Amino acid sequence: MRTHRLPPLRSASLSAALRCPQGVVDVVRDFDPRATTLFPGRGQEDARAQADLVRPILDDLQGRLRAQGVDDPHAQRVLLVLQGMDTSGKGGVVRHAIAMMDPEGVRVHAFKAPTPVEREHDFLWRVRRALPEPGIIGVFDRSHYEDVLVQRVEHMASPDEIERRYGAINDFEREVAASGTRVVKCFLNISRAEQKRRLAQRLDPSGAKYWKYDPGDLDVRAKWDEYMAAYGLALQRCNQDEAPWFVIPSDHRWYRNWAVARVLAETLSSMNLTWPPARFDVARERERVANS
Amino acid sequence: MRTHRLPPLRSASLSAALRCPQGVVDVVRDFDPRATTLFPGRGQEDARAQADLVRPILDDLQGRLRAQGVDDPHAQRVLLVLQGMDTSGKGGVVRHAIAMMDPEGVRVHAFKAPTPVEREHDFLWRVRRALPEPGIIGVFDRSHYEDVLVQRVEHMASPDEIERRYGAINDFEREVAASGTRVVKCFLNISRAEQKRRLAQRLDPSGAKYWKYDPGDLDVRAKWDEYMAAYGLALQRCNQDEAPWFVIPSDHRWYRNWAVARVLAETLSSMNLTWPPARFDVARERERVANS
């Protein structure tokens, strides 16, 4: 088995540095969206080179994970949850970090407003159905956290129901972890000012980004403080060791993409992923191939 | 709207050159697995540069396709069917050509031996369930063609039933095309000698490819001629203009990956994909953002 060394970091682990601490969280006060924590280069000009260092590691580890899943229904899995305000870059992370890996080993699921059928079930019903299969890295672009974020801010569920959901989420995520899935939750933290710049970019005259713009996004933006408070509560109430939150500084796109790729690589790296052993007599099969 | 120029080809269109002709097909006699038809470089040493030319085109066109699907349930889709013998590179195409695009706009579906539930239904049942949604590029790694390939060679269905299936497939693919899906079917054509080399590679002592090796692959290999005959029939009987077959010379991995990416780019390029117009008053929204 080959071993992997991750490219040198300025300290031991990006995951440790970006892990959301336990206890009360004030998103705006506690975390700097412009930080470039532990980035081993100078800045954007080194982003491509740093991505090129992470890519083969991520690709190889994901290959091992997937190989283990081929014949083993109990093989490990990974669930990466991406949450963040509009324009924070959930889609950008998929496009730049998740795309480093083999599409056959990855399942991306974008959660929209619940359909009528989904609304007939408990809020976790549709989430369970989208959990990754053995050996697969599942990526949630939005997730069950919307049910304690938008639903809290917009009063779409009662305060009691929202309280119940924090507990239900913790139970659910513990159960998912216990069944062999590493849960990695990333809050893509952008500033209010950066969101404004990005919304304006979506309206640039080329028209190539009109489809990403929804006038309703500004209504959400108008409740920025309430959303930050709801995020703070979600980060505080649902931050178990089995399903930790990472706060990804996301005002710099290049840093955000690198950081998520790197946190994912560190997670995979800690899973002791070996290539599965042969389920056949290798010497005999070599001979059969030679004679075929 | 920006327009796209595909990188210059030695002739008008790779799709036209690799299109399987109508009529009787003898796979081994008619197609050269080592061909590098219309490759605009010298060979493998130019493969990366040529991929770098196709990637941004493919990525941009797929972005437009996906954008159209966001709000329009009747938006166009693409279905790319990959078929070929073991080791022909269906997974390699996904990893190298399909991975050029945004994972959120692509759905890869690998068809395995039918499950008990799937066997309770008509052979097209599970295929219909995996068809791409609006704006999505669906990729089938194996497909309903297995039901006229392995099932024919292994006598898993009666000759009458196999005959029925050619017609059922044609009806199905016409229906899929009529509902707004471009169907592109690629037969990855490798030689018997190249397959032997690749099976041996899977047994190399690093062990990193053992998981891809199945002793049963040699039993399939032993029936090479029967499989080529079955492919010939499938290419002949199910080769409508609405769902054409392309025969991809696949002994050279670098050529195979480039050719599929390029055929896909040509397909997307012929779909007149524009960025969807704004569904809002752009000037007013610019002002709202500025004041937000």
Side-chain angles (χ1 to χ4, degrees):
Chain A
M1 174 187 132
R2 282 177 292 165
T3 54
H4 279 287
R5 295 195 172 281
L6 288 171
L9 275 177
R10 288 190 191 138
S11 87
S13 154
L14 186 66
S15 308
L18 298 185
R19 175 84 155 84
C20 181
Q22 300 285 345
V24 177
V25 173
D26 181 325
V27 170
V28 178
R29 185 197 62 200
D30 297 347
F31 306 109
D32 177 7
R34 299 190 63 76
T36 56
T37 312
L38 296 177
F39 185 71
R42 284 160 297 179
Q44 182 161 18
E45 66 269 36
D46 294 327
R48 184 181 293 261
Q50 289 300 323
D52 287 343
L53 289 174
V54 176
R55 185 178 293 108
I57 296 171
L58 204 49
D59 182 57
D60 177 279
L61 291 168
Q62 181 256 327
R64 293 163 187 243
L65 181 68
R66 178 171 168 231
Q68 295 195 346
V70 167
D71 274 311
D72 180 5
H74 303 293
Q76 299 182 87
R77 308 123 204 247
V78 171
L79 174 62
L80 176 68
V81 172
L82 300 175
Q83 281 289 160
M85 297 295 281
D86 290 323
T87 77
S88 63
K90 301 175 289 294
V93 164
V94 170
R95 191 181 172 89
H96 296 285
I98 302 308
M100 290 180 179
M101 299 176 288
D102 185 346
E104 291 221 35
V106 173
R107 299 280 178 281
V108 181
H109 195 99
F111 288 96
K112 312 289 183 193
T115 64
V117 170
E118 288 170 351
R119 276 199 298 268
E120 286 172 11
H121 297 271
D122 181 72
F123 76 106
L124 291 171
W125 180 76
R126 63 176 186 160
V127 180
R128 287 182 186 277
R129 290 160 52 99
L131 287 172
E133 297 169 324
I136 298 295
I137 298 179
V139 180
F140 285 178
D141 174 346
R142 304 185 187 269
S143 67
H144 44 294
Y145 281 95
E146 294 296 321
D147 297 279
V148 293
L149 294 166
V150 59
Q151 298 226 345
R152 181 180 193 101
V153 173
E154 302 294 344
H155 308 291
M156 295 160 74
S158 72
D160 282 355
E161 168 63 11
I162 297 287
E163 282 304 311
R164 183 192 75 81
R165 289 181 184 175
Y166 295 128
I169 288 174
N170 284 331
D171 290 346
F172 167 67
E173 292 181 352
R174 261 200 312 274
E175 173 200 321
V176 170
S179 71
T181 303
R182 288 291 186 108
V183 182
V184 176
K185 302 181 296 193
C186 291
F187 168 52
L188 307 183
N189 185 32
I190 57 164
S191 64
R192 197 164 181 282
E194 178 64 18
Q195 189 193 51
K196 182 170 177 170
R197 269 190 293 275
R198 293 186 186 177
L199 287 171
Q201 282 170 1
R202 291 185 174 181
L203 295 170
D204 90 45
S206 81
K209 291 184 177 174
Y210 287 166
W211 68 280
K212 292 185 176 185
Y213 184 89
D214 182 329
D217 294 347
L218 284 186
D219 304 325
V220 174
R221 176 172 168 77
K223 298 179 181 171
W224 186 272
D225 294 343
E226 291 99 307
Y227 272 96
M228 289 304 109
Y231 267 106
L233 278 167
L235 292 173
Q236 175 189 337
R237 301 289 299 276
C238 303
N239 190 17
Q240 311 171 99
D241 286 339
E242 296 93 332
W245 274 111
F246 299 92
V247 181
I248 311 292
S250 297
D251 270 12
H252 297 298
R253 292 186 175 97
W254 56 268
Y255 178 78
R256 174 200 70 203
N257 297 336
W258 173 82
V260 175
R262 174 80 200 215
V263 166
L264 193 56
E266 290 179 2
T267 300
L268 289 163
S269 192
S270 72
M271 291 169 74
N272 295 313
L273 296 166
T274 54
W275 292 107
R279 298 148 289 139
F280 47 79
D281 179 336
V282 177
R284 176 160 178 273
E285 292 302 322
R286 282 196 193 119
E287 203 175 308
R288 284 184 71 211
V289 169
N291 295 329
S292 74
Chain B
M1 174 190 132
R2 282 177 293 163
T3 53
H4 277 288
R5 294 197 172 280
L6 289 171
L9 273 177
R10 290 193 190 134
S11 88
S13 154
L14 187 65
S15 308
L18 298 185
R19 175 83 155 84
C20 182
Q22 301 286 345
V24 177
V25 173
D26 180 326
V27 171
V28 177
R29 186 197 63 201
D30 296 347
F31 306 109
D32 176 7
R34 299 189 63 75
T36 56
T37 312
L38 296 178
F39 186 71
R42 283 160 300 179
Q44 181 159 20
E45 67 268 37
D46 293 327
R48 184 180 293 261
Q50 289 301 323
D52 287 344
L53 289 175
V54 175
R55 184 179 294 108
I57 296 172
L58 204 48
D59 182 57
D60 177 278
L61 290 169
Q62 181 256 327
R64 294 163 186 243
L65 180 68
R66 179 172 167 232
Q68 295 194 345
V70 166
D71 274 311
D72 179 4
H74 302 293
Q76 300 183 86
R77 309 124 204 247
V78 172
L79 174 62
L80 175 68
V81 172
L82 300 175
Q83 281 289 159
M85 297 294 282
D86 291 323
T87 78
S88 62
K90 301 176 289 292
V93 164
V94 170
R95 192 183 173 87
H96 297 284
I98 302 307
M100 290 179 180
M101 299 177 288
D102 185 346
E104 292 220 35
V106 173
R107 299 280 178 281
V108 181
H109 195 99
F111 287 96
K112 312 289 182 193
T115 64
V117 170
E118 288 170 351
R119 277 199 298 266
E120 285 172 12
H121 297 271
D122 181 71
F123 76 106
L124 291 171
W125 179 75
R126 64 176 186 161
V127 180
R128 285 182 189 277
R129 289 160 54 99
L131 287 172
E133 296 168 322
I136 298 296
I137 298 179
V139 180
F140 286 178
D141 174 346
R142 301 185 189 271
S143 68
H144 44 295
Y145 282 96
E146 294 295 320
D147 296 280
V148 293
L149 294 166
V150 58
Q151 298 226 346
R152 180 180 193 101
V153 173
E154 302 294 343
H155 307 291
M156 295 160 73
S158 71
D160 282 356
E161 168 63 11
I162 298 287
E163 281 303 311
R164 183 191 75 81
R165 289 181 185 174
Y166 295 128
I169 288 174
N170 283 333
D171 290 347
F172 168 66
E173 292 180 352
R174 260 200 312 274
E175 172 199 322
V176 170
S179 72
T181 303
R182 287 292 185 108
V183 183
V184 176
K185 302 181 296 193
C186 291
F187 168 51
L188 308 183
N189 184 31
I190 56 164
S191 64
R192 198 165 180 280
E194 178 63 18
Q195 189 192 51
K196 183 170 175 170
R197 270 190 292 277
R198 293 186 187 177
L199 287 171
Q201 282 170 1
R202 291 185 174 181
L203 294 170
D204 90 44
S206 81
K209 291 185 177 172
Y210 287 167
W211 68 279
K212 291 186 176 184
Y213 184 89
D214 182 329
D217 294 347
L218 284 186
D219 305 326
V220 174
R221 175 172 168 76
K223 297 179 181 170
W224 187 272
D225 294 343
E226 290 99 308
Y227 272 97
M228 289 305 107
Y231 267 107
L233 276 167
L235 292 173
Q236 175 189 337
R237 300 288 299 275
C238 303
N239 190 18
Q240 312 172 96
D241 286 340
E242 297 93 332
W245 274 112
F246 299 91
V247 180
I248 311 291
S250 296
D251 270 12
H252 297 298
R253 291 185 175 97
W254 56 267
Y255 178 78
R256 172 200 70 202
N257 296 338
W258 173 82
V260 175
R262 173 80 200 216
V263 165
L264 193 56
E266 290 179 2
T267 301
L268 289 163
S269 193
S270 72
M271 290 168 74
N272 295 314
L273 296 166
T274 54
W275 292 108
R279 297 147 290 136
F280 47 80
D281 179 335
V282 177
R284 175 158 180 274
E285 292 301 322
R286 282 197 192 118
E287 202 175 307
R288 284 184 71 212
V289 169
N291 294 330
S292 75

